[in-house]
Structures are given as structure tokens and as C-alpha cells.
């Protein structure tokens, strides 16, 4: 952990610099897999599942029989925990539902906005070192609340060709039936093109390694939307002398264990806290099972003392962290002036892992500075807005000249004429003067 | 206009097929301009402004002196019209503001969601055959309401090196000061990288030709967000025997005049209307100033009779039109079952041009079938959601075990430990038992 003491602002960009991702080497692999899956469908997907996951599958779709027994393989404590998390996540995402917005902008000119679910969505749940059933909750719950009619879940098979029962149990709990044993680039390509057995979708969600990230970026070139671009996970802790250094160190390590490329940053207005966190961090690190991973991530990390709260806030907004913990007496000031962050954890008893699993907020968040312009996954991620308008006879007479004048000034005469022909008809009373006041 | 009579469903994909865009030839140009602008900054932008727009500029930024006189060059009628449109668009977009969402998911576990403006946004206003000051309203107004702190507007210069006064007047009216005389690929590249005089931005908005479309797609590879992918503009009219064929024909033509690649489609449950619209369309076409353009677009277009409302609705949802006009007695049925459209115009006196200019809705919409998964530009396009949470001492004791159990099951021990260390501290009363109930 590299330490900085009141660095000059000119130094900030260098200090806050994220490890750059170089996709050059893997771009060719992604291109190849996309091309082959487009042409070869299931056969190409199976080939790459064999090649990358080392598993030879006969079929990729999970059938009902495989999921029904999944719950029996889990402890009651784990099932209780998953159900509790589901209730909280549901509550928070259900509260994000919005009513249609109606405005009569001029007499007889009624405009409104309504949301509709994206019909076909793909959820990607990574495999790798941990069975991320929590991601099933984070993507599956809002997709169901939104009312997406076709929800496809892809997750890589384990070496024995199965899916971890916690993932199957959670998917079943969320009402997701279309589960496929396929991961990596070939999963994203399959959901982009559609194959004989895996449906193509309109939008793909979910985290993943750099192969998945690049594959999702490629999918957008073929008209498939994605939730957000992604990079390695990251946490910034903003703390002062009132913070508990052991808690802060534990939070930093919880982020660091995600992967060797994770980045953790402490920004503090207290030199004492800076030292205390460092000591606690190395002590706690020694007792972690994933010590090797966390140690590498800690190597990428920074501890920065700044002289005042204004500088601390500016530094946070410049870094634009995925996760932000605030444990400081000036929390009101920080909450007011915060601009860029994905998910924020306020107060000493709010560890990031609460939001990763169970408090109710979503854990699928923009990283790598993308909180400057992207939201984390939320209910709206599964919806799109449509605008509507109804103009009455009175309405078109009110607004008609405005439209005609503007259309003429833009040289779009047929646009003007679509209004003129209606105004003329009303003037000449060629059309029957029926009331048109519905809205 | 190709006519179809009750086509088989198997035929729909072919009938609804959009002209495909082949970007291969221009991809190399876009790559080159991006590379040169990254390296050469302003000099490269000026070089391509000379090459593509045929204009040699000394500087690109519009200064206050250039805008102050702009209004004097416009008629009072046009300025009145622009101000009226601005009031309506403001009303409708201001109504889209949302309050923060607060939920206590478990006792002591408070989660909330708030929106923040994207700080730096770029608005692209195309040049070409018409001075699209209406686009300035559609992008500038929501950007201002959202509270974006840096709004950059790029629009190509005319041959004489100036910007049309209607664009300058409208920009001034919207409070946009940073206006640059630069268009096409070089404008998008400049807002992606930032140059000596043009600021880089976090998100780029606005329509454009295929060069701009591809450039925006390229910008996303460098971490800049865009409003949506775009293709040629399109209109689908859904009408029955109660519709006025002259109005429908005028609407179809208003879309067709946008460009030779525009697509217009009539879907109707009435054969009589189908014939009447065709007759009216060719009659009206002859009197249009932009007849040549509209005629080509009409050539790409379809008129489809279907036997019933269910089929009509399915066809609309399959096509997923940018603009949809509904002029039919079954409008309630259609509004209820509509899934995919960008902006919808209901009833005989609601021409698409109302929404293009002045009714209040936005005219920057997804095309080419992208209404399946994208919203049109709206207030949220300029905002991002951030989630927050505060967990009290009681709260962590309520939810702690759930988090610990899930973290352990995912093998993420440091995640578990961030909770355990807090629970232990509370049990041992090592930390003072101060109240932590703020939220």
C-alpha cells in the first residue's frame, strides 16, 4: 500500500491512476469466438466450452429435474440467508417502480411517458473461484419486477459439468427457468446471435472477467445493449479520526480479495488513522484464506492523507469509485457534495459486504471511473421509456403555427404540411367536428 | 411503396426488414480521424473541417459577440415559436424529475437511491440540408434541467464559416455557452479525447449521419458513453377505416423527406384506407419541395393490410418503430399492448411533426429496431443513479448473519470478516455504545 501525505493536486491523476486494461491480445480470441458462434451455433459453443472450461457437454440447458434437488444440497442457514437477501433486494428494487408522467403542455396538447420492460434479457453469472449466487439475485430480481418476458441465464459449468446448487437454487427462487451451462466469450456470443438452444437477447447484464467484458463490448456492435462497461472492482474509503481502523482495514481487505487487480484506496484527513489502518491491514491480511490474492491487490493500493474535507471530497469525485465507504464526522458535507460513485456506505456499521449481498441495493456497479456517466444496475436498467402524445382539435389549433414556423425554418416542408393539412381541414370543417378530448 | 395483403407471419421478417447499414467502407476513415485528433488535437480537427466541410477556420469556439446578434437575424414569428417549443419541452422534461427513494429494508438497514447529473456532456447538432435548431432544444433543455455543469455543443460550420443564427439563438436561449464550429467524425473525436480548445466529455448526445453514428460507436470504446445507437429515421402508421387518408399520407411524407434512406410503413386493418392513402400520398408528393428525397424514401416503404388488430399489434411490436402514429378506433387496445416504440402519436390531430418540434416530448429517439432495448433521450439520460446505505448497530446485528453466511458460501472470507469484526466489537462492547440512528 503506497502512502501519500498531502500530495499536490497536480499529482492526483498519477496517484489515482487505475491499472490500465490492455485488451489487444484477447481481442482476436473474442472476434474468432463471435464469428464461429454466429456460423456454427451450438456446436461452436460446445467446442469452446470444451476448450476454455475443459468440459464436454451433451446439452447446455438445465432441465427442471436438475434444479429441483438443488435446495437439498444447501444448508438451511444458507437458504434462509438467500431468502432474506431476496426480500431486501426485492423491497428496494420494487420501490424504484415509477408511475407514468402526464403533462398537458398547452391546452389540448397531452404528453406522457410510460415505461415498458425489455422483453428479452440475458443474465451472465460468472464462475471462477466462487459460485456467485448473489449475482443471480442482483440481476434476476429486478428483471422479474420489471416484467421481462424472456430471461436467459448463462453461467459456466464446473469441471464435472454441473452448476453449483446455490446458483440453481437461487435462480429457481427468482423464477428463472432458462438456465444454460455456458460461460465466457461463448456465452455472450450465444446470447448475441442466438443458437439452436440458446435464445438471442436484446440486452446483456452481469459482471465478468476481461474476456466477458470485451465480449459484451463486442455485442454492442451487433445491436445488443449491455448494462455497463466494467473493469476490476474497487473501493475507496473516506475516513477521519472518528473511524475504527480495524473496521476500515477489514473493508479494504474485503475488496482486495476479489482479485489481484482489485484496487483499494484510503482517503483520510487523519494521519493517525492512516497509520492505524495500515497496521491493522497487515495484521488482518495474515489470517485471510485468500491472502495471496488480497496481498497483490493491496500492492496496487493507495493510502492518501489530505489536509481538509474539501480536498478529500474533490479527490473522491475525481476518482469516481465503484464503492465508497464514508466513516467520518463530516458525512453530511460529503453526502451533499458527492457527484461520482456507484454505491455509498455511510457510517461505522455499514460494511461494503452488506451491499454486496443482502441490504437491498444492487452490487452490479460501474467501475474504472465509469460512475461519472453510468448508473449501477437498477430497475430502470430492465425498462425503457416510451413517450406518448395526444393532441385535440383545440390543441393542434393552439400549437399548429409554432410547428409550421419551425418546420419551415428548418426547410422541412412536409413536416409543416402534416400540420397545415389538419388546420385547413378544421377551418373548412371538412371533417366532422367530433370531440377528441380523450387522453 | 410496396403493398402487402394479409401476409403470412413467416413473411414478416422479410417485409419488415430495414435497409442494412454497411459501415465497412467508412470504418477506416473514422479510425484515422480518431487517431489523428488524439495525437494532433485542434490542428487535426481544423484539417478535417477543411477537408470534409470545405471551411478553413482560425478558431472553432463561438464567442459571445457572435451569438448576441443572432436573434436579430430571425423573424419574431420564429423566435416566438422557438420560445413556445422551449416552454413545452421544459414542462415535460421538468416533470420527469424524481425524488430520492428511501427504503428501510430491515430494522436499522436504510437504503436509498439518488440521482446526480453527469458533469460533462457533449451535444451534437447536425448540419447538412437543414439548420436543426430543434435538436438544440431537445438536448440542451434536459441537460440544463439535469444540472450538467459543463455542456459542450458541436455543430458543423456552413461554407462561409458561420453557424446558422437560429442555432446560435436557440443555444443562447438554452443557456449553452460552449459552442464549437465543428462537425462530423472530428467533432465526436474531439469530444472523446478533448483538444486544446474543445473539452472532452463523459457522454455524447445527438443524431447524425452514418459517419457520426459510427464515430459515436467508436467513442464508447474509449470510455465515453452515448445516448443510443442510431440509424435512419422511420415512421410506422397504424390506422383503420376511421383514419383520414390525407392526414396519414402527409405524415408518411413528413418522415420520408428526412432522407432517401428513411423508411415509412403503413399498417392497416382497412383495404379501403390502404388504397386511399396510396392515392393521396402520390398526389401530395408532387407538390413537395423535397420531392426527390421523399420519393426515394417512399420507394423503401411498405403498406401492409392485416386482417385484425391482434396481428396489427404484433407486427408493430416486431418492427419496433422509432415513431408510431395510431389513428384507429381500437387505440385503447393498441396502447395497452404496445411494447416497442420510441414516441407514439395518438389520434387524428397528432402529427409526428408536433413531437419533432414543439409539443414537449423529445425527438432524439432510437431507430433501426433499437426501441426494443433503448429509451429515447429524456431527463434520465443526463443523470445517473447512486445508491446509498446506512446500517445502524441494531441493523448490522439484524442482517449480519445473513451476510456472513452468504459470503462464506461464496468463499469470500474477507467479506465475511468485515461483518464479523463489527459484530464482535458490538458484543464485546469494545466500542462505545453511541446511538447511530441518523439516516
Amino acid at each position: 500500500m503506497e502512502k501519500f501525505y498531502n500530495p499536490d493536486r497536480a499529482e492526483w491523476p498519477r496517484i489515482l491512476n487505475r491499472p490500465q486494461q490492455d485488451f489487444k491480445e484477447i481481442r482476436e480470441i473474442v472476434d474468432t469466438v463471435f464469428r464461429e458462434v454466429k456460423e456454427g451455433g451450438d456446436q461452436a459453443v460446445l467446442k469452446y466450452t470444451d476448450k476454455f472450461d475443459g468440459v464436454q457437454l451433451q446439452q447446455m440447458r438445465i432441465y427442471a429435474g436438475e434444479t429441483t434437488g438443488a435446495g437439498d444440497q444447501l444448508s438451511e442457514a444458507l437458504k434462509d440467508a438467500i431468502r432474506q437477501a431476496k426480500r431486501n433486494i426485492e423491497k428496494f428494487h420494487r420501490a424504484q417502480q415509477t408511475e407514468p408522467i402526464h403533462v398537458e403542455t398547452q391546452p389540448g396538447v397531452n404528453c406522457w411517458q410510460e415505461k415498458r420492460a425489455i422483453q428479452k434479457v440475458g443474465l451472465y453469472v460468472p464462475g471462477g473461484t466462487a459460485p456467485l449466487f448473489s449475482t443471480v439475485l442482483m440481476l434476476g430480481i429486478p428483471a422479474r419486477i420489471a416484467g421481462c418476458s424472456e430471461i436467459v441465464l448463462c453461467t459456466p459449468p464446473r469441471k464435472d459439468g454441473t452448476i453449483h446448487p446455490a446458483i440453481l437454487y437461487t435462480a429457481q427462487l427468482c423464477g428463472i427457468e432458462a438456465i444454460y451451462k455456458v460461460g465466457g466469450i461463448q456465452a455472450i456470443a450465444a446470447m448475441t446471435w442466438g443458437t439452436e438452444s440458446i435464445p438471442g437477447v436484446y440486452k446483456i447484464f452481469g459482471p465478468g472477467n476481461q474476456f466477458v467484458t470485451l465480449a459484451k463490448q463486442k455485442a454492442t456492435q451487433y445491436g445488443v445493449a449491455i448494462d455497463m462497461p466494467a473493469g476490476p472492482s474497487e473501493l475507496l474509503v473516506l475516513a477521519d479520526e472518528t473511524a475504527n481502523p480495524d473496521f476500515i482495514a477489514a473493508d479494504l481487505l474485503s475488496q482486495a480479495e476479489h482479485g489481484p487487480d482489485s484496487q483499494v484506496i484510503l482517503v483520510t484527513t487523519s494521519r493517525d488513522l492512516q497509520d492505524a489502518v495500515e497496521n491493522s491491514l497487515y495484521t488482518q491480511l495474515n489470517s485471510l484464506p485468500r491472502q495471496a490474492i488480497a496481498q497483490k491487490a493491496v500492492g496496487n493500493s493507495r493510502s492518501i492523507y489530505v489536509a481538509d474535507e474539501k480536498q478529500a471530497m474533490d479527490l473522491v469525485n475525481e476518482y469516481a469509485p465503484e464503492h465508497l465507504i464514508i466513516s467520518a464526522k463530516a458525512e453530511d458535507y460529503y453526502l451533499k457534495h458527492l457527484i461520482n460513485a456507484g454505491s455509498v456506505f455511510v457510517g461505522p456499521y455499514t460494511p461494503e459486504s452488506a451491499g454486496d449481498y443482502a441490504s437491498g441495493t444492487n452490487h452490479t456497479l460501474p467501475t474504472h471511473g465509469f460512475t461519472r456517466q453510468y448508473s449501477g444496475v437498477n430497475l430502470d436498467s430492465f425498462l425503457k421509456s416510451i413517450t406518448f402524445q395526444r393532441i385535440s382539435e383545440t390543441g393542434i389549433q393552439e400549437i399548429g403555427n409554432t410547428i409550421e414556423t419551425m418546420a419551415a425554418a428548418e426547410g422541412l416542408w412536409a413536416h409543416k404540411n402534416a400540420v397545415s393539412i389538419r388546420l385547413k381541414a378544421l377551418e373548412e370543417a371538412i371533417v366532422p367536428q367530433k370531440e377528441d378530448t380523450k387522453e
Side-chain angles (χ1 to χ4, degrees), chain A:
Chain A
M1 200 165 202
E2 205 176 344
K3 278 172 94 176
F4 299 89
Y5 180 74
N6 226 357
D8 195 81
R9 271 185 190 244
E11 289 290 294
W12 287 9
R14 188 185 62 76
I15 295 172
L16 298 178
N17 193 28
R18 291 169 166 91
Q20 284 309 301
Q21 300 175 283
D22 185 4
F23 286 146
K24 259 181 206 152
E25 285 177 26
I26 63 176
R27 202 174 291 279
E28 207 173 315
I29 302 170
V30 171
D31 289 349
T32 305
V33 176
F34 263 70
R35 194 175 53 244
E36 290 193 23
V37 170
K38 184 183 182 185
E39 286 162 9
D42 279 350
Q43 282 314 309
V45 176
L46 289 167
K47 169 184 151 189
Y48 282 107
T49 300
D50 184 6
K51 183 168 178 185
F52 294 142
D53 299 317
V55 182
Q56 294 179 348
L57 295 175
Q58 295 306 314
Q59 64 176 32
M60 293 176 283
R61 169 105 188 213
I62 296 270
Y63 281 95
E66 293 183 73
T67 51
T68 41
D72 301 340
Q73 300 172 57
L74 307 179
S75 71
E76 287 307 315
L78 180 56
K79 284 186 282 189
D80 281 347
I82 293 173
R83 283 191 295 256
Q84 179 63 54
K86 177 167 181 280
R87 280 193 294 275
N88 291 348
I89 298 164
E90 263 177 1
K91 263 189 213 169
F92 189 60
H93 286 77
R94 223 177 262 289
Q96 294 167 27
Q97 287 173 312
T98 50
E99 290 298 310
I101 292 161
H102 273 255
V103 184
E104 187 171 11
T105 52
Q106 282 189 252
V109 180
N110 279 285
C111 301
W112 69 103
Q113 183 193 47
E114 289 181 33
K115 291 175 182 170
R116 298 281 195 275
I118 298 170
Q119 294 296 295
K120 303 181 186 186
V121 296
L123 315 183
Y124 185 76
V125 176
T129 48
L132 298 180
F133 55 87
S134 59
T135 299
V136 179
L137 295 172
M138 296 295 174
L139 302 178
I141 291 170
R144 291 280 295 181
I145 295 172
C148 303
S149 57
E150 191 164 346
I151 303 173
V152 175
L153 190 154
C154 288
T155 191
R158 294 185 292 184
K159 292 281 171 220
D160 65 357
T162 66
I163 302 291
H164 193 285
I167 289 180
L168 293 180
Y169 172 79
T170 308
Q172 198 182 23
L173 202 65
C174 293
I176 297 168
E177 289 164 7
I179 306 167
Y180 296 87
K181 293 186 248 192
V182 51
I185 310 167
Q186 61 272 26
I188 306 301
M191 291 192 281
T192 298
W193 303 120
T195 67
E196 300 90 320
S197 61
I198 303 171
V201 300
Y202 301 149
K203 188 169 182 177
I204 298 174
F205 297 79
N209 59 19
Q210 56 183 351
F211 294 96
V212 171
T213 297
L214 191 62
K216 282 171 67 185
Q217 199 182 87
K218 184 148 186 89
T220 65
Q221 290 177 25
Y222 302 108
V224 176
I226 61 170
D227 49 358
M228 68 191 77
S233 196
E234 62 203 20
L235 166 68
L236 189 151
V237 178
L238 179 53
D240 66 8
E241 69 284 359
T242 66
N244 182 319
D246 294 334
F247 295 0
I248 303 293
D251 292 329
L252 293 170
L253 287 171
S254 77
Q255 187 57 43
E257 80 174 337
H258 269 301
D261 52 0
S262 290
Q263 196 174 40
V264 297
I265 294 182
L266 171 65
V267 175
T268 180
T269 50
S270 162
R271 290 245 31 194
D272 288 346
L273 186 88
Q274 191 179 28
D275 294 338
V277 167
E278 188 178 19
N279 291 335
S280 184
L281 190 136
Y282 287 107
T283 308
Q284 291 185 43
L285 185 58
N286 289 327
S287 60
L288 280 187
R290 291 166 70 103
Q291 186 186 348
I293 290 173
Q295 195 137 28
K296 275 195 189 157
V298 167
N300 296 331
S301 299
R302 321 257 186 275
S303 165
I304 310 166
Y305 165 84
V306 288
D308 59 44
E309 284 138 13
K310 168 80 170 60
Q311 283 191 65
M313 186 81 269
D314 288 351
L315 207 146
V316 169
N317 282 326
E318 180 158 333
Y319 184 68
E322 177 191 15
H323 303 99
L324 170 66
I325 291 179
I326 301 175
S327 187
K329 59 184 185 301
E331 62 179 39
D332 289 343
Y333 170 83
Y334 292 136
L335 287 175
K336 187 176 168 196
H337 294 94
L338 177 70
I339 299 168
N340 297 323
S343 197
V344 185
F345 303 79
V346 189
Y349 292 98
T350 317
E352 187 212 300
S353 48
D356 288 339
Y357 288 110
S359 59
T361 59
N362 210 291
H363 77 197
T364 313
L365 299 164
T367 63
H368 212 72
F370 286 120
T371 59
R372 293 184 192 100
Q373 68 269 66
Y374 288 93
S375 307
V377 165
N378 57 59
L379 185 62
D380 276 344
S381 311
F382 295 88
L383 299 166
K384 60 219 163 72
S385 285
I386 305 179
T387 53
F388 298 84
Q389 61 203 285
R390 177 195 298 282
I391 302 179
S392 69
E393 297 180 6
T394 311
I396 196 70
Q397 285 168 324
E398 286 268 336
I399 201 176
N401 287 344
T402 295
I403 302 166
E404 289 180 312
T405 304
M406 292 175 75
E410 286 193 352
L412 294 172
W413 298 96
H415 281 63
K416 177 175 187 283
N417 190 50
V419 174
S420 308
I421 199 170
R422 285 166 164 97
L423 293 180
K424 193 154 168 276
L426 286 172
E427 275 165 27
E428 295 174 0
I430 287 170
V431 294
Q433 291 284 343
K434 63 171 172 163
E435 260 312 289
D436 176 40
T437 52
K438 275 176 67 180
E439 171 253 38

